[in-house]
Amino acid sequence: MAESVELPSRLAILPFRNKVLLPGAIIRIRCTSPTSVKLVEQELWQREEKGLIGILPVRDAAEIKSVGPTVSEGTDSANQNTRVQGGSSDSHKIDTKKQNDVVHWHNRGVAARPLHLSRGVEKPSGRVTYTVVLEGLCRFSVQELSTRGIYHTARITSLEMTKTELEQVEQDPDFIMLSRQFKATAVELISVLELKQKTGGRTKVLLDNVPVHKLADIFVASFEISFEEQLSMLDSVDPKVRLSKATELVDRHLQSIRVAEKITQKVEGQLSKSQKEFLLRQQMRAIKEELGDNDDDEDDLAALERKMQSARMPQNVWKHAHRELRRLKKMQPQQPGYNSSRVYLELLADLPWQKATEEIELDLRAAQKRLDSDHYGLVKVKQRIIEYLAVRKLKPDARGPVLCFIGPPGVGKTSLASSIAASLGRKFVRISLGGVKDEADIRGHRRTYVGSMPGRLIDGLKRVAVCNPVILLDEVDKTGSDIRGDPASALLEVLDPEQNTSFNDHYLNVPFDLSKVIFVATANRLQPIPPPLRDRMEVIELPGYTPEEKLHIAMQHLIPRVLDQHGLSSEFLQIPEAMVKLVIHGYTREAGVRNLERNLAALARAAAVRVLEQEQVVPLNKGMQGLTTPLVENRLADGTEVEMEVIPMGVNSRDITNTFRISSPLVVDETMLEKVLGPPRFDGSEAAERVANPGVSVGLVWTAFGGEVQFVEATAMVGKGELHLTGQLGDVIKESAQIALTWVRARATDLRLAVDEGFNLLEARDVHIHFPAGAVPKDGPSAGVTLVTALVSLFSQQRVRSDTAMTGEMTLRGLVLPVGGVKDKILAAHRYGIKRVILPERNLKDLVEVPSSVLGNLEILLAKRVEDVLEHAFDGGCPWRQHSKL
C-alpha cells in the first residue's frame, strides 16, 4: 500500500446508500443500475489505464439530517456488507428502485481504485452488468457536485497529511500512547480470533507493515457497526482522534466476542452434561429391564396418577392437578422444579377431599356420662356441649357455632375439645397458635418460595386423612403480628361458615372445603382476641375450681393417674382425703389443678423410693439383690427436696405388684408431707398478718390464671404533698389511685379526717401507695374501692377487717361501678380463706354463676356508693358516717 496518493481535482462519484467505504478496505460490488453501469463503463472499462473513482455515502430520503450539497437527481441505492479479513471482500449490489427520492450527500468520501473488473450479460433481458473489486485509498472532501450525463462527478480536495505533517504527528507523545494502546488491543483481538478461527497469521503481518493510522481504518472496516459510527470514523481526519475511536470500537468488539464465547461454552457444557446424563439413564433403564426391576420414575408417576384419580378431587381441582401432572411428565428429574412439583401433587393426592369419618350414632346419655367421667363440675359448659350434640343429631349437616373456651390454665379446656371429638366419633387435631406471628402458618407459603409448605390447617387435615375432624385452635389469644402478616386476621376466613367452604391455602392455590370441620378454640384471656375474630366465636368461660371440686378431681382422677404413671397402686401408696385437703389449702393456690398434680407426683416419687428401700420388700426372684440408697434416707430424714424419677423398664404397675411384696401400704401423713413438700406455703393467717396495721386493705383482681387476692399498702411521710405509686402499675390503675386520693381529700371533713374545711391532708407530707409483688404488672379500674379504703385507713389510723376483701370501680362522685371476673374473684377469696366480700351492687346478677357451696361459706356485701364500702370494711361499721353530709 502506497504512503501517499495523487488525487485528481475531479472524480466520478459512485454513491453508497447507508454504507461507508474506509481507506484500506476492499469491497466487491455488482453494478446493475443504468447510472452505475454507465459510470463503470466510461471511467473504468473503456480506459486502458484504470483511473480512480470516488465513493460517497448518501442517506435515505427518510433521514432528517443531511450534510453537504443536496440535489434532486436520481441516485443509485447501495447495500453493502463489508468484511475485511486478510484482503478478501464481499459483493456490493446497486439497485434502481428509488429514482425520484431526494438524496442527502455526505461531504466527505473515499477515493478507490479497481483491483478487478469483469463484465456480464443477464439473460434473457440482455442487460449489461459489471462486477468490480475496489480498494479504498484516501479521504477527500467534496467542494462541488455536478453531473456528467447520467452519473455524478465532484470537485474534490484531498484530506490526507503530507509526509512532513505525518512525521510530526508520529513524534507526538499522545499519538505514541494511543498507538501503543491500539496495538495492544488489536493484538489481543487477533489472539482471540486466532484461537477461534485460525486466521490470525495474515492479520499480524499488517500490524508490522502498515502504519498505525491506516490500521485503524482497516480494523474498523471489518466490524459491523452502525452507519453513524461509520460516518464518524470517516470524518476522523486527525490521526489521534481516529486512533481513539478505533481503539474503543476494537475493545468493544473484543468484549462482545468474549461474552459470546462464555455463553457458548456454558450452553455446550449443559448440553454435554444433559447428553451424558441421558446416556447413563438409558443404560440404567436397560440394566433394570434385564434385572426385572421396574421401579423407575415412570412407574412412580403412574402410581401417583392412580392415587390422584382415587382422591375424588372436585372437577376444577382435578383439571389443575392433571395439568400439573402433564407438566411434570415432560420434565427431567434433575430439573430444579421437578421435586417441588412432585411434592405438590402428592399433597393434592393425600388430602381428604371427600373422605370423611362416619359419625357414630349419637347417644346423649352416653355423651353426658363420658363428659362426667372426664370432667368434674363445669355444669354449664357440659350442658352447652350436650345442646350442641343434640342439634347435630337432629340436623347432621347443620353449621354449628365455633366454641371458644376461655379460662385459666389447668381447668380442662383442651380435654373438653378432645371429649367432643370422642363423643362424635371423629378424629382430633390440635393446632397450637401460641407465639405464631406469620400468616403463612395459617394460609401456607406460596410455591414460588424456597422451602414452601402448606399451612397448619391443611397439614393437619393431611395427617388425619379425613375432611371432618375436630380441630382445636389452642391459645388463640397468643397470636402476634409483624411484617409477615396477622394470623388472627387469616383465621377470620377459617372460622366464618360463609367463607370456609372455599378456603384458599397459598400453597395449594385451589379452594378447599372446611365447612365439615368442627372448630374449637381455647384462650386464657378474651381481651387480646381481635373483635372481628371474637365475633365469629361463641365464648364459654371456664372459671377456676373450688377446693371441694379440686378434692373430688384429685381423688377420682389425679391420684389414680399419678400412681399409674409412677408404677404404683393403692397397695403401695394411700393418700387420705384429709391429706389431699391439706395439700390443696397449704401448698396450692391456683384456679386449675396442675400444681396439685405436681405435688401428688412428688409424693408418688418419694413413695416409689421408699417401697424399693423398705426391708420388708421381698423379691420373688431369688437372684435379685437388695437395693440400698443412702441418698433417699437422708432426703426423708432432713426434708430436703431431691428430684427422683422412676425410669420405665418396660414394666407396668401390675408387673411391679407381682414382683414386690410389702407388709403394709405407705399412708401419707402430715410428717411425710412436710418432709417431701416442705412446710406449708400458705396459711389462713396471711391476710390477718398483713392487715394488722392501718393503711392496708385487701382487694380482688382477675388475671389470666384466674382470680387473685391483691393487698394494697399506703403510708405517709414528710414531703411536699406528692403521690407516689409503685408495683409495675398501668395507666388505668394510676388514674384510679389519683381519683381515690382526690375523693378522700374532698371529703376529709365529712369523714372526720380534718378538723375544718381548709385543712389539707397532704400538708407537708407525701403519700406512697404500693401494690406488692412488684415484679408482676398490674392494671385495671377494679382497685378503686380498695385504694379508697387503704387511704381512709391510713388517715384515720383505723385498721381494715382482715376477713374482708373488695372489688369495684369508683367515680369522683363516689359511685361504685360494676366490674368483670366476679366469679373468679369470689373463688380466689374463698381459696384465701376470706369470709366477707364487698361487691358493687350492679354485680348481683353475676352471683348466679358462683357455686352455692362457695356462697354458703362467704358473706356477700353489696355497695352502691363508696360510703357503703367503708361501712362494711371497718370493725363496727363506719363511726363517722353519721357526721357525713353526703
Side-chain angles (χ1 to χ4, degrees):
M1 182 179 296
E3 283 295 326
S4 60
V5 180
E6 292 290 340
L7 293 182
S9 61
R10 184 172 290 275
L11 284 177
I13 299 300
L14 182 63
F16 270 25
R17 187 181 296 274
N18 297 332
K19 197 64 182 176
V20 175
L21 175 66
L22 293 175
I26 299 175
I27 188 170
R28 184 177 68 239
I29 63 174
R30 185 169 179 267
C31 302
T32 59
S33 67
T35 303
S36 58
V37 168
K38 191 68 174 178
L39 185 148
V40 171
E41 185 174 347
Q42 291 187 3
E43 299 293 334
L44 301 178
W45 181 259
Q46 295 178 359
R47 294 187 179 183
E48 294 183 2
E49 293 185 2
K50 309 304 181 186
L52 303 178
I53 62 174
I55 305 299
L56 196 63
V58 297
R59 297 172 181 269
D60 285 332
E63 294 286 341
I64 299 176
K65 296 181 180 180
S66 63
V67 182
T70 302
V71 297
S72 299
E73 303 289 341
T75 61
D76 299 310
S77 63
N79 295 324
Q80 175 196 14
N81 292 321
T82 304
R83 185 176 57 197
V84 176
Q85 294 179 356
S88 64
S89 63
D90 291 338
S91 64
H92 177 84
K93 183 179 179 180
I94 298 178
D95 58 56
T96 58
K97 294 181 180 179
K98 300 181 181 179
Q99 295 293 333
N100 297 321
D101 291 345
V102 177
V103 178
H104 303 282
W105 300 81
H106 197 63
N107 62 348
R108 289 177 181 174
V110 174
R113 66 181 177 185
L115 299 180
H116 176 76
L117 180 61
S118 62
R119 176 173 176 168
V121 178
E122 291 184 350
K123 293 180 180 181
S125 63
R127 186 175 62 174
V128 177
T129 61
Y130 288 96
T131 301
V132 187
V133 178
L134 296 174
E135 178 187 10
L137 298 179
C138 60
R139 292 173 174 81
F140 63 80
S141 176
V142 178
Q143 302 298 322
E144 181 184 0
L145 188 65
S146 60
T147 58
R148 180 184 294 172
I150 64 173
Y151 62 88
H152 295 85
T153 62
R155 184 166 58 84
I156 64 171
T157 58
S158 176
L159 296 177
E160 292 297 309
M161 290 185 175
T162 63
K163 186 175 182 180
T164 304
E165 293 175 343
L166 190 57
E167 290 176 354
Q168 292 179 354
V169 172
E170 290 177 348
Q171 296 176 359
D172 188 350
D174 293 339
F175 180 81
I176 295 173
M177 182 187 67
L178 289 171
S179 299
R180 292 175 180 174
Q181 185 178 2
F182 172 77
K183 282 190 175 183
T185 308
V187 168
E188 191 173 358
L189 176 61
I190 292 172
S191 301
V192 174
L193 293 175
E194 186 177 13
L195 294 175
K196 184 177 181 183
Q197 301 176 355
K198 308 299 182 182
T199 58
R202 290 175 293 174
T203 310
K204 287 184 178 180
V205 176
L206 294 176
L207 291 175
D208 299 333
N209 300 327
V210 179
V212 178
H213 65 281
K214 292 186 178 295
L215 279 175
D217 290 328
I218 295 174
F219 270 82
V220 173
S222 65
F223 304 151
E224 292 184 3
I225 58 178
S226 65
F227 181 53
E228 296 297 333
E229 289 177 327
Q230 295 177 22
L231 290 179
S232 176
M233 195 67 187
L234 177 63
D235 293 338
S236 300
V237 180
D238 187 353
K240 292 188 292 184
V241 176
R242 192 185 312 164
L243 280 177
S244 177
K245 292 182 178 180
T247 303
E248 180 182 354
L249 292 173
V250 171
D251 184 68
R252 188 176 70 185
H253 188 66
L254 176 62
Q255 298 301 327
S256 64
I257 291 176
R258 287 177 173 172
V259 172
E261 285 184 348
K262 185 176 180 180
I263 295 174
T264 303
Q265 291 175 359
K266 185 176 181 180
V267 172
E268 289 178 351
Q270 291 178 350
L271 288 177
S272 61
K273 181 180 179 181
S274 300
Q275 293 170 356
K276 180 180 178 181
E277 291 178 353
F278 176 77
L279 179 61
L280 293 175
R281 199 165 282 109
Q282 291 296 111
Q283 294 176 353
M284 185 180 297
R285 181 173 300 177
I287 294 172
K288 287 184 177 181
E289 289 178 358
E290 290 295 330
L291 296 175
D293 186 3
N294 296 323
D295 186 16
D296 54 8
D297 291 335
E298 292 184 358
D299 292 338
D300 291 344
L301 293 180
L304 177 60
E305 185 174 8
R306 290 192 299 270
K307 188 176 180 181
M308 291 170 56
Q309 292 173 352
S310 62
R312 295 187 297 169
M313 302 178 187
Q315 187 63 28
N316 59 332
V317 178
W318 168 250
K319 289 181 180 179
H320 173 78
H322 193 59
R323 183 170 59 252
E324 189 72 19
L325 181 62
R326 291 199 307 269
R327 175 174 169 268
L328 180 64
K329 289 180 178 179
K330 297 177 182 179
M331 299 172 63
Q332 294 293 332
Q334 68 272 12
Q335 287 185 252
Y338 181 86
N339 288 331
S340 61
S341 296
R342 182 165 180 170
V343 170
Y344 174 68
L345 289 176
E346 289 177 351
L347 174 64
L348 291 179
D350 290 337
L351 284 178
W353 299 95
Q354 303 292 337
K355 184 180 178 181
T357 302
E358 294 184 4
E359 293 187 2
I360 60 177
E361 183 68 22
L362 287 177
D363 187 351
L364 296 184
R365 293 183 179 179
Q368 181 71 52
K369 185 177 180 180
R370 182 180 182 86
L371 289 173
D372 291 339
S373 63
D374 292 343
H375 304 85
Y376 180 78
L378 305 178
V379 178
K380 182 179 178 181
V381 178
K382 289 190 287 189
Q383 180 62 31
R384 180 64 185 89
I385 294 175
I386 293 298
E387 293 172 356
Y388 175 77
L389 297 178
V391 175
R392 295 287 303 183
K393 184 174 183 178
L394 296 176
K395 188 175 176 59
D397 58 344
R399 294 181 179 179
V402 178
L403 302 180
C404 180
F405 299 132
I406 293 184
V411 295
K413 300 185 295 297
T414 302
S415 58
L416 274 174
S418 178
S419 298
I420 293 176
S423 301
L424 293 172
R426 295 193 181 188
K427 293 187 177 181
F428 180 69
V429 181
R430 177 180 174 272
I431 298 176
S432 178
L433 300 178
V436 173
K437 296 183 179 180
D438 192 353
E439 181 188 0
D441 284 333
I442 306 299
R443 294 184 182 274
H445 303 83
R446 299 192 183 275
R447 291 176 58 202
T448 53
Y449 296 109
V450 177
S452 58
M453 61 183 66
R456 297 193 182 186
L457 291 172
I458 297 299
D459 184 67
L461 291 172
K462 175 188 173 184
R463 283 188 281 110
V464 297
V466 291
C467 64
N468 62 340
V470 176
I471 295 183
L472 172 64
L473 303 176
D474 206 6
E475 309 293 350
V476 74
D477 60 327
K478 295 177 178 60
T479 59
S481 61
D482 57 11
I483 58 175
R484 295 171 292 181
D486 184 7
S489 299
L491 287 174
L492 297 178
E493 179 185 2
V494 175
L495 301 180
D496 192 343
E498 301 297 330
Q499 301 181 33
N500 62 10
T501 55
S502 58
F503 172 69
N504 191 2
D505 186 274
H506 289 162
Y507 184 84
L508 283 184
N509 203 26
V510 291
F512 191 91
D513 187 5
L514 295 178
S515 60
K516 299 178 183 179
V517 178
I518 296 179
F519 289 100
V520 179
T522 66
N524 294 129
R525 295 187 300 161
L526 185 63
Q527 288 77 12
I529 303 176
L533 182 60
R534 192 188 315 164
D535 181 64
R536 284 165 168 76
M537 301 184 295
E538 179 181 344
V539 177
I540 299 178
E541 294 186 359
L542 278 72
Y545 294 112
T546 64
E548 292 76 12
E549 291 173 337
K550 290 182 180 180
L551 176 62
H552 189 278
I553 293 172
M555 301 302 297
Q556 298 295 325
H557 301 280
L558 298 184
I559 293 179
R561 183 166 66 190
V562 167
L563 292 178
D564 182 68
Q565 289 175 352
H566 292 78
L568 300 175
S569 67
S570 58
E571 297 180 4
F572 293 89
L573 177 65
Q574 293 182 3
I575 306 178
E577 186 174 312
M579 294 300 99
V580 177
K581 288 183 180 180
L582 187 57
V583 172
I584 293 174
H585 292 283
Y587 294 91
T588 63
R589 277 186 180 175
E590 57 174 345
V593 292
R594 286 181 179 169
N595 285 331
L596 175 59
E597 185 174 5
R598 293 189 187 100
N599 287 312
L600 294 176
L603 294 174
R605 290 194 298 271
V609 176
R610 181 79 65 88
V611 166
L612 294 178
E613 290 187 340
Q614 278 186 357
E615 296 180 357
Q616 291 84 355
V617 175
V618 180
L620 295 181
N621 189 350
K622 298 180 179 180
M624 295 183 63
Q625 301 295 328
L627 301 177
T628 58
T629 55
L631 177 63
V632 178
E633 295 178 358
N634 294 336
R635 172 187 175 178
L636 297 179
D638 57 14
T640 56
E641 295 188 5
V642 180
E643 292 290 339
M644 302 290 292
E645 183 174 359
V646 178
I647 301 177
M649 300 294 291
V651 181
N652 55 26
S653 58
R654 296 179 180 178
D655 297 331
I656 294 177
T657 304
N658 295 331
T659 305
F660 295 98
R661 294 179 305 184
I662 59 175
S663 58
S664 61
L666 180 63
V667 180
V668 177
D669 54 10
E670 293 187 18
T671 303
M672 182 177 178
L673 277 183
E674 292 191 6
K675 287 182 178 181
V676 177
L677 302 181
R681 301 184 182 93
F682 311 102
D683 54 45
S685 62
E686 179 182 3
E689 293 174 357
R690 301 185 68 168
V691 191
N693 298 320
V696 182
S697 60
V698 184
L700 297 174
V701 296
W702 183 91
T703 68
F705 303 96
E708 290 290 340
V709 170
Q710 175 67 60
F711 293 93
V712 178
E713 301 175 351
T715 186
M717 55 195 157
V718 177
K720 301 179 181 179
E722 296 178 352
L723 174 64
H724 303 279
L725 300 171
T726 56
Q728 281 208 46
L729 308 180
D731 293 336
V732 176
I733 202 168
K734 289 179 180 178
E735 293 174 356
S736 298
Q738 190 63 54
I739 293 172
L741 180 60
T742 301
W743 187 88
V744 172
R745 293 179 63 187
R747 288 154 179 78
T749 305
D750 300 329
L751 297 174
R752 300 179 64 180
L753 303 178
V755 294
D756 54 33
E757 293 288 345
F759 182 77
N760 185 5
L761 285 176
L762 300 181
E763 183 71 29
R765 61 178 174 176
D766 293 346
V767 174
H768 187 168
I769 300 177
H770 177 64
F771 287 71
V776 181
K778 310 170 190 69
D779 201 4
S782 63
V785 296
T786 311
L787 289 163
V788 167
T789 305
L791 290 173
V792 172
S793 173
L794 172 66
F795 292 132
S796 65
Q797 291 298 303
Q798 297 288 329
R799 290 186 300 174
V800 180
R801 294 186 58 165
S802 61
D803 61 346
T804 304
M806 62 200 74
T807 183
E809 180 182 357
M810 66 166 294
T811 68
L812 277 175
R813 299 299 179 186
L815 295 177
V816 180
L817 302 182
V819 293
V822 172
K823 183 177 181 180
D824 293 302
K825 294 176 180 178
I826 292 179
L827 292 178
H830 182 62
R831 287 196 301 269
Y832 272 76
I834 302 294
K835 301 301 181 182
R836 305 168 74 242
V837 176
I838 302 175
L839 293 178
E841 187 178 54
R842 291 168 60 182
N843 281 121
L844 177 64
K845 61 183 183 298
D846 297 320
L847 298 179
V848 179
E849 301 179 359
V850 182
S852 57
S853 59
V854 175
L855 292 178
N857 295 325
L858 291 175
E859 180 183 358
I860 306 298
L861 307 171
L862 301 178
K864 186 176 182 180
R865 298 187 58 86
V866 176
E867 291 85 345
D868 300 331
V869 176
L870 300 177
E871 179 74 19
H872 298 310
F874 293 92
D875 287 321
C878 184
W880 52 83
R881 183 178 175 85
Q882 57 184 342
H883 302 283
S884 177
K885 300 179 181 179
L886 301 178

